[in-house]
Amino acid sequence: VSTQSTGTVRVSSMEALAAKKRSLSHADTGSDRGQRTQPQNARKKPKPSGKPADAAAKAVSSGRAREINAELQQHCQRKQLSQGVACLKAAEEEGVADAVHYAILLNTHVRCDDIGGASALLARMERDKITIGVHVHTTMLKGFSAAGDMANATTLLGRLEKAIPRTPKLARPNIRTANTYLRGCLWSGCVEAAAGLVERLEAVWGIQPDSSSIEYTVQLLCQSLRPEEGLELAEKWLPELNDDEATAATQLAAMRAFLLLGDSKAAAECARQVRRTLQTPFKGDSRASLSKAAGNASGGKRGWGSLGD
């Protein structure tokens, strides 16, 4: 074979080999196309769920809400109403405002004697279906009472009473709510309103009056020169409540009323009762102990401080 023919054979062999490879490759591709694409479709990467990002966002939101809570509390204690309003507005814009923030600002309005602002904020909370706890209504009652607006206080109390059957137990008006209203009655001289509420506490509210409830109401009755009714109410409840301080206070109020009525004999008997009570060692703070034993909110005079002052 010549050199020329050898080169020709080599080239022809290489071309044939390349053609065979192309043929095999084409056959492979055609037969396996479905098998190759199917696993690729089956192995698609799952879409990220976003849960870690959501959890992080919630953590940041919760932390910011606590910061705003602390700021609002500080403005409330310092009676900085305009700063408190601005703080809540910022919380709303950030989307982290919650029911606690609104409750604190309402208390700030009351502490700053802005009863109109507090009433408007309460109406807004009701309209926007923001959760309203019993402490919010009690604070609003305190504001109305301190302003001498017993008409609005009575209207609000009536709404709360009507809602008791369909209100969860922990959200119902409690003894502190009642005593807040009774103290307003004492300031404004609303005798019948106070006496009526004490009668309804058991029947409608499902709670018993405490010593502060009785003391406020007896003082009102005695101020209206009805000491017999006052003593009758005290004798009904105070022995069971076992509160020497309230017993002495009610006897003293009755003594003053009897003196104004010119009944010196009855006044002298009340004075003897006061002396006997004062000579006996007091049995301690029965208001706090009774509330603790019953697991209820304290409604005594000391409980007023925690509502705003």
Side-chain angles (χ1 to χ4, degrees):
V1 181
S2 65
T3 305
Q4 184 176 2
S5 64
T6 304
T8 303
V9 171
R10 286 178 180 172
V11 170
S12 298
S13 300
M14 290 176 66
E15 288 178 351
L17 182 61
K20 186 176 182 180
K21 285 183 177 179
R22 284 196 299 272
S23 175
L24 290 172
S25 175
H26 180 72
D28 255 350
T29 304
S31 61
D32 295 342
R33 185 174 296 158
Q35 295 176 2
R36 289 179 183 176
T37 55
Q38 189 172 356
Q40 288 175 359
N41 291 337
R43 289 195 300 269
K44 284 184 178 179
K45 293 182 180 180
K47 293 182 180 180
S49 64
K51 287 183 180 179
D54 291 346
K58 286 181 180 179
V60 172
S61 175
S62 177
R64 179 61 180 141
R66 285 194 294 269
E67 289 176 4
I68 292 175
N69 191 342
E71 290 176 24
L72 284 168
Q73 288 282 14
Q74 188 177 69
H75 294 320
C76 183
Q77 291 297 323
R78 296 177 179 178
K79 297 186 178 182
Q80 298 171 330
L81 181 56
S82 58
Q83 291 92 325
V85 171
C87 188
L88 180 62
K89 184 178 180 181
E92 290 175 330
E93 291 173 352
E94 294 177 33
V96 296
D98 58 28
V100 176
H101 299 154
Y102 289 92
I104 297 172
L105 183 60
L106 189 142
N107 191 25
T108 307
H109 279 286
V110 171
R111 283 175 54 80
C112 294
D113 299 324
D114 181 20
I115 310 307
S119 184
L121 182 59
L122 179 61
R124 180 184 164 197
M125 291 171 72
E126 292 172 345
R127 183 191 67 227
D128 295 343
K129 301 189 183 304
I130 297 169
T131 302
I132 301 175
V134 61
H135 59 289
V136 175
H137 286 131
T138 302
T139 302
M140 193 69 252
L141 276 175
K142 180 185 177 183
F144 285 139
S145 299
D149 188 357
M150 293 307 296
N152 274 320
T154 302
T155 300
L156 176 57
L157 191 73
R159 284 172 46 203
L160 297 179
E161 283 191 14
K162 288 180 181 179
I164 284 177
R166 59 180 184 275
T167 304
K169 189 172 182 179
L170 292 178
R172 293 176 184 175
N174 54 33
I175 192 63
R176 181 174 291 179
T177 310
N179 285 348
T180 299
Y181 180 79
L182 290 172
R183 190 174 178 90
C185 291
L186 182 60
W187 287 340
S188 300
C190 302
V191 186
E192 300 304 331
L197 176 57
V198 170
E199 290 180 0
R200 297 194 306 274
L201 283 181
E202 272 195 299
V204 179
W205 292 42
I207 60 176
Q208 288 188 345
D210 67 2
S211 53
S212 290
S213 313
I214 302 305
E215 188 177 335
Y216 295 149
T217 309
V218 171
Q219 286 183 10
L220 265 169
L221 289 167
C222 291
Q223 286 174 7
S224 62
L225 301 182
R226 293 155 62 181
E228 293 90 350
E229 295 178 51
L231 289 177
E232 183 180 350
L233 183 64
E235 289 169 4
K236 177 181 178 181
W237 289 104
L238 290 183
E240 179 182 344
L241 295 171
N242 199 27
D243 191 333
D244 290 339
E245 182 183 349
T247 300
T250 54
Q251 290 287 346
L252 189 60
M255 182 190 74
R256 287 194 295 262
F258 281 126
L259 285 173
L260 290 171
L261 291 168
D263 191 343
S264 57
K265 184 177 179 180
E269 178 57 30
C270 288
R272 283 191 290 270
Q273 292 288 348
V274 172
R275 178 176 294 180
R276 279 196 292 269
T277 302
L278 294 177
Q279 288 174 345
T280 304
F282 275 26
K283 299 178 178 67
D285 187 2
S286 59
R287 304 171 194 213
S289 60
L290 283 170
S291 297
K292 184 177 180 181
N296 295 326
S298 173
K301 296 173 182 176
R302 292 180 180 85
W304 270 71
S306 60
L307 284 179
D309 301 329

